[in-house]
Amino acid sequence: MSNPVLTVSHLKKTFGENIVLKDIDFFANEKDVVSIIGASGSGKSTLLRCINQLEKPTSGDILFHDKNIQDSGFSLSNYRAKVGMVFQSFNLFNNLSVLQNCVVGQMKVLGRDRKEAEQRAMDILSKVGMDQYISAKPRQISGGQKQRVAIARALAMDPEILLFDEPTSALDPEMVGEVLNVMTSLAKTGLTMLVVTHEMDFARDVSNRIIFMDAGVILEDSTPEEIFNHPKNERTRMFLNRSIRNT
Amino acid sequence: MPTSFFEWVAFFVNKYGLFFIQGAGTTIFIASIGTIAGFAIGLAVAVVRTIPVEENDSLARKLFYKFVRFIFVAYIEIFRGTPMIVQAMVIYYGSAELWGLDMSPMVAALFIVSINTGAYMAEIARGGIISIDKGQYEAAQSIGMTHSQTMVNIILPQAIRNILPSIGNEFVVNIKDTSVLNVISVTELFFMSKSAAGTYMRYFEVFFITCLIYFVLTFSVTRLLLFVERKLEGPDSFVIHGSQTVPQAVIKGGRE
Ligand SMILES: Nc1ncnc2c1ncn2[C@@H]1O[C@H](COP(=O)(O)OP(=O)(O)O)[C@@H](O)[C@H]1O
Ligand SMILES: [Mg+2]
C-alpha cells in the first residue's frame, strides 16, 4: 500500500489558555473520503484550518506525501493549491464573476494563461452545473449555487485533497441536496476528501471512514459501518443518537 | 461707478470674469491633484498598516513593522490634529528657513493638500480594507494566493469601491479648504477674490460671486461622483449562457 497523502501527528493547537486540539493523530490515503463528525466546539474546523495553515499549529507535524509542511523550505502556496478548502460561508470573491472566481487562482498561483484557465474553469463549472451562470456576480446567485461555485473554484486548482468545513450548514434545506450531490459525484471520481459534516446520511453512505471528535481529541476513527452499528465509545453513541434523532 | 448691489455684481463679473475663472481653475486643480495624491498616499499607508504580522515572524521583522506603524500613526495624528492653514504656514516658511528650499506657493500648496488629505485617506482606506470580510481573504489564501495577490485582486477592488463616497467627500472638502492657502499667496479662488474686492473695497459683492462659484464647483463634483458610483455598481441583471460552446444570451436573470 502506498504512503498516505496526508499525515497528522501529535497535532496540538491552543488559543491562549484554551486547548482546542489536544493530541491529534490521523492520516488520509489517496481516494479516502473521511467524514469528521462531532459536537460544535469540538475542534473540527480548527483541525481543517491547521491542515491548510490558516491556523498555525502550536505543536505537532503535518506531512503531505511525507514532506513536513512546516519546514522552512516548503512552498505553502503550492501546497495550498493542492489542498483546496470549501467553507461553510462560501467566501466567494464578491468583486469577480462566477467564471473569474474560478480563474484568478489558476492564473496567479499556477501561472496558467487566461485562455487555458477559462477553459478549465468552464469544464469544471459545467460539471457542477453552473456553466450557465459564468457572468453572474456572487450576490446574484443562491446559496446552493454559491457553494457549487466555491467547490469549482477549489477544483480548478487541480487539488489532491479537498477539505470541506460544514459545506451545507449555511444552506436553506432545499439547497442541501444539490451540494451533496456534487460532493457525492466528486467522491466517486476518487478525489481525496476530508468533510466536516452534520449530514449523517452523507457520512454513512458516501465516506469510507468516519472520525468522531470530542473536546479536541479523536475518540474514534473507523468505517461508517463500525461507527454507526458498533460505536466503541459511549460519547460516540450519545452523539449519534442525538444527531439521528434531530434529522 | 456702479451704484447698486446688482450693478456691482455685474461690474465684477464683466471686469474680473476671467480672474474668477482662473482662480476657480486653480482651486479645482489643487483640489484634484491633492485628492488623487492624497488617496495614493492614504492607500499606501493603509496597505502597509494591514500587512499581517505572524507570531513566528522574526524579531527584526516585528520590530521593523512596529516602527513603521508608529511613524504612520504619528503622521496621521499630527496632520489630522492640526489645522491645514497652520500646516501651510509651517511647511511653506519652515522649508525655506530650515532647508533653504525655495518652493513656489503652488508646489507648496500641492504638497500640503496631498499630505493633509493622505492622513485622512489613510484611515478611510484602512477602514475600507478591514471591512471586507475575512472569509474572502482566507478563501484566497486557501487556493495559494499570497498576501499581495489577495490584496490586489480581491480586497482592494472591493475596499476602494466601498470608500468611493468618502473619497468624493474629501474632494469636496478640499475644494472648500484650499481657500486657506491664500495665506501663502496661492492664486486660488479665495485669493483672487480678495484681491479683486480689495481694489474696490467691495467685499460683499465679490464674495457673493465667490460663494456661488464654490457652490457650483462642489455641487457639480458631488453629482459627478454620484454618477460614477452608479456606473461602478454594475448592472442588476446578468446573462444566462445557453451552452458552453455557444455563449449567447438566452435569458436575463437577476436577484436583489
Ligand atoms: N481564533 C480563535 N480564537 C480563540 N478561540 C478559538 C478560535 N477559533 C476557534 N476557537 C475555539 O476553539 C474551539 C473549537 O472551535 P472549532 O474548531 O470551530 O470547533 P467546531 O468546528 O468543531 O465547532 C471553540 O471553543 C472555539 O471557541
Ligand atoms: Mg466548525
Side-chain angles (χ1 to χ4, degrees):
Chain A
M1 199 171 144
S2 65
N3 286 338
V5 184
L6 188 79
T7 313
V8 173
S9 62
H10 301 299
L11 180 69
K12 186 178 169 194
K13 176 66 186 176
T14 59
F15 289 108
E17 301 283 276
N18 190 4
I19 306 174
V20 175
L21 296 177
K22 284 187 184 122
D23 187 28
I24 300 284
D25 282 299
F26 88 95
F27 62 90
N29 285 321
E30 213 173 296
K31 297 186 192 235
D32 264 352
V33 177
V34 183
S35 288
I36 302 171
I37 61 173
S40 170
S42 55
K44 307 179 299 293
S45 297
T46 306
L47 174 59
L48 289 194
R49 292 168 61 80
C50 284
I51 289 174
N52 75 355
Q53 296 284 289
L54 286 177
E55 303 286 355
K56 298 270 180 273
T58 308
S59 64
D61 293 321
I62 298 168
L63 307 182
F64 183 63
H65 293 297
D66 298 329
K67 291 217 180 64
N68 194 328
I69 69 165
Q70 298 181 90
D71 280 353
S72 51
F74 191 86
S75 163
L76 198 54
S77 195
N78 289 342
Y79 167 73
R80 278 174 166 161
K82 292 197 182 103
V83 181
M85 177 121 171
V86 175
F87 300 84
Q88 182 176 345
S89 50
F90 328 125
N91 298 347
L92 292 182
F93 306 136
N94 289 330
N95 58 322
L96 301 178
S97 69
V98 163
L99 184 68
Q100 293 311 318
N101 261 276
C102 303
V103 163
V104 64
Q106 294 186 66
M107 292 179 64
K108 301 295 163 189
V109 181
L110 305 179
R112 290 181 183 157
D113 64 35
R114 179 169 296 280
K115 192 160 169 285
E116 186 190 1
E118 286 185 351
Q119 190 55 56
R120 178 88 185 113
M122 282 304 305
D123 286 349
I124 288 164
L125 283 167
S126 61
K127 280 198 188 113
V128 301
M130 285 302 292
D131 52 329
Q132 292 190 313
Y133 296 88
I134 50 170
S135 56
K137 287 283 176 67
R139 67 185 155 89
Q140 295 170 316
I141 57 180
S142 72
Q145 293 175 325
K146 282 183 198 173
Q147 197 60 298
R148 285 188 278 150
V149 173
I151 292 171
R153 173 177 64 187
L155 288 174
M157 307 299 288
D158 297 322
E160 288 182 39
I161 308 185
L162 219 45
L163 313 175
F164 293 81
D165 191 1
E166 300 198 29
T168 58
S169 297
L171 295 176
D172 292 338
E174 72 270 19
M175 294 173 181
V176 171
E178 62 189 75
V179 172
L180 287 179
N181 284 343
V182 167
M183 291 169 62
T184 304
S185 57
L186 274 180
K188 287 193 185 121
T189 65
L191 182 70
T192 311
M193 295 162 57
L194 301 187
V195 186
V196 172
T197 187
H198 293 295
E199 295 293 331
M200 290 304 148
D201 290 342
F202 179 90
R204 183 174 46 217
D205 302 335
V206 181
S207 45
N208 65 330
R209 254 170 70 204
I210 296 181
I211 283 175
F212 174 66
M213 281 185 71
D214 185 66
V217 298
I218 291 180
L219 278 190
E220 267 184 74
D221 178 351
S222 172
T223 61
E225 140 83 7
E226 277 290 306
I227 296 246
F228 277 94
N229 300 333
H230 318 284
K232 287 192 200 66
N233 199 291
E234 178 63 19
R235 299 190 69 94
T236 317
R237 210 169 60 234
M238 274 165 53
F239 176 79
L240 286 174
N241 280 339
R242 225 176 23 240
S243 304
I244 289 163
R245 214 178 318 124
N246 284 345
T247 50
Chain B
M1 276 288 126
T3 50
S4 71
F5 171 77
F6 289 108
E7 279 176 29
W8 271 112
V9 168
F11 169 79
F12 279 113
V13 168
N14 273 329
K15 186 150 196 240
Y16 287 94
L18 207 61
F19 212 61
F20 281 120
I21 289 170
Q22 268 174 17
T26 307
T27 289
I28 282 286
F29 174 71
I30 297 173
S32 312
I33 301 289
T35 307
I36 293 166
F39 170 65
I41 294 169
L43 192 65
V45 169
V47 164
V48 173
R49 282 182 77 198
T50 50
I51 292 174
V53 177
E54 307 285 347
E55 266 173 71
N56 44 8
D57 278 341
S58 71
L59 186 65
R61 197 182 152 99
K62 278 189 200 161
L63 284 177
F64 176 71
Y65 276 124
K66 240 194 171 130
F67 175 72
V68 170
R69 279 177 195 179
F70 172 79
I71 298 287
F72 283 165
V73 170
Y75 157 61
I76 292 166
E77 293 299 330
I78 289 168
F79 277 86
R80 293 200 314 172
T82 55
M84 189 158 77
I85 191 168
V86 177
Q87 293 163 15
M89 297 299 264
V90 170
I91 291 173
Y92 184 61
Y93 292 106
S95 63
E97 200 116 317
L98 291 180
W99 299 295
L101 270 181
D102 186 20
M103 268 195 273
S104 72
M106 180 54 96
V107 170
L110 291 174
F111 179 75
I112 290 154
V113 178
S114 303
I115 200 104
N116 179 282
T117 309
Y120 288 91
M121 290 285 194
E123 283 298 89
I124 293 170
R126 195 171 73 102
I129 289 169
I130 60 186
S131 75
I132 305 300
D133 75 294
K134 206 157 179 287
Q136 292 184 59
Y137 185 85
E138 291 189 339
Q141 302 277 291
S142 80
I143 54 173
M145 288 169 73
T146 61
H147 174 77
S148 50
Q149 287 172 338
T150 307
M151 290 304 277
V152 170
N153 296 285
I154 311 298
I155 307 295
L156 291 181
Q158 295 180 60
I160 291 170
R161 233 195 59 182
N162 291 351
I163 64 171
L164 222 54
S166 307
I167 297 173
N169 194 40
E170 283 300 305
F171 190 19
V172 169
V173 166
N174 278 343
I175 291 173
K176 296 185 290 178
D177 285 5
T178 44
S179 58
V180 306
L181 296 169
N182 78 86
V183 297
I184 56 169
S185 311
V186 179
T187 55
E188 43 65 54
L189 184 55
F190 185 90
F191 183 89
M192 295 300 236
S193 308
K194 218 170 61 169
S195 338
T199 313
Y200 293 88
M201 301 302 276
R202 306 298 308 187
Y203 287 92
F204 175 49
E205 290 83 355
V206 169
F207 280 98
F208 177 76
I209 298 169
T210 310
C211 188
L212 285 180
I213 298 173
Y214 271 119
F215 180 73
V216 168
L217 292 183
T218 56
F219 189 76
S220 331
V221 163
T222 314
R223 297 292 108 177
L224 183 75
L225 288 168
L226 267 179
F227 176 76
V228 171
E229 257 168 60
R230 291 228 184 85
K231 281 267 149 197
L232 282 179
E233 241 158 52
D236 287 341
S237 61
F238 59 93
V239 174
I240 292 196
H241 296 273
S243 87
Q244 61 163 300
T245 42
V246 191
Q248 90 209 123
V250 286
I251 321 167
K252 286 261 182 187
R255 285 163 67 88
E256 289 177 333

